[in-house]
Amino acid sequence: ISGCVLRPWGFYQALATALEWGVLDRLLFASDYPASTPAETRAKLRAVNEAWPGGGAPIIPDRAILAIEERDSLALLGLA
């Protein structure tokens, strides 16, 4: 998700598309440091559903957000 969090609406759209296509489990957490610190990226990831005020858009499930944060990237890439 590196770099995506800097544009909240685009970030939401990217995650919503990944959800629709069933590929959220392929996303890796990255911060794009120094443009965004890991803590800033984590906070923006957790707030991704707030990019669409007023509702009506698909919600990115909390479990999917947590999975992106906690995913073992090395294992996913076959490097573990």
Side-chain angles (χ1 to χ4, degrees), residues 46 49 59-67:
R46 291 178 180 172
N49 288 308
I59 298 295
I60 310 303
D62 289 338
R63 69 183 185 289
I65 292 170
L66 185 60

Side-chain angles (χ1 to χ4, degrees), residues 12 15-16 19-20 24 48-52 54-65:
Y12 167 79
L15 290 183
L19 174 65
E20 180 182 348
L24 273 174
V48 70
N49 288 308
E50 297 170 14
W52 184 261
I59 298 295
I60 310 303
D62 289 338
R63 69 183 185 289
I65 292 170

Side-chain angles (χ1 to χ4, degrees), residues 3-77:
C4 293
V5 300
L6 301 176
R7 293 188 172 89
W9 174 240
F11 180 45
Y12 167 79
Q13 288 179 310
L15 290 183
T17 300
L19 174 65
E20 180 182 348
W21 291 351
V23 296
L24 273 174
D25 61 328
R26 303 274 182 182
L27 300 183
L28 303 176
F29 181 87
S31 68
D32 202 26
Y33 183 82
S36 181
T37 67
E40 291 169 332
T41 301
R42 183 170 281 115
K44 290 175 182 180
L45 175 60
R46 291 178 180 172
V48 70
N49 288 308
E50 297 170 14
W52 184 261
I59 298 295
I60 310 303
D62 289 338
R63 69 183 185 289
I65 292 170
L66 185 60
I68 292 170
E69 286 186 57
E70 295 181 349
R71 184 164 292 123
D72 183 350
S73 300
L74 293 177
L76 186 63
L77 295 170

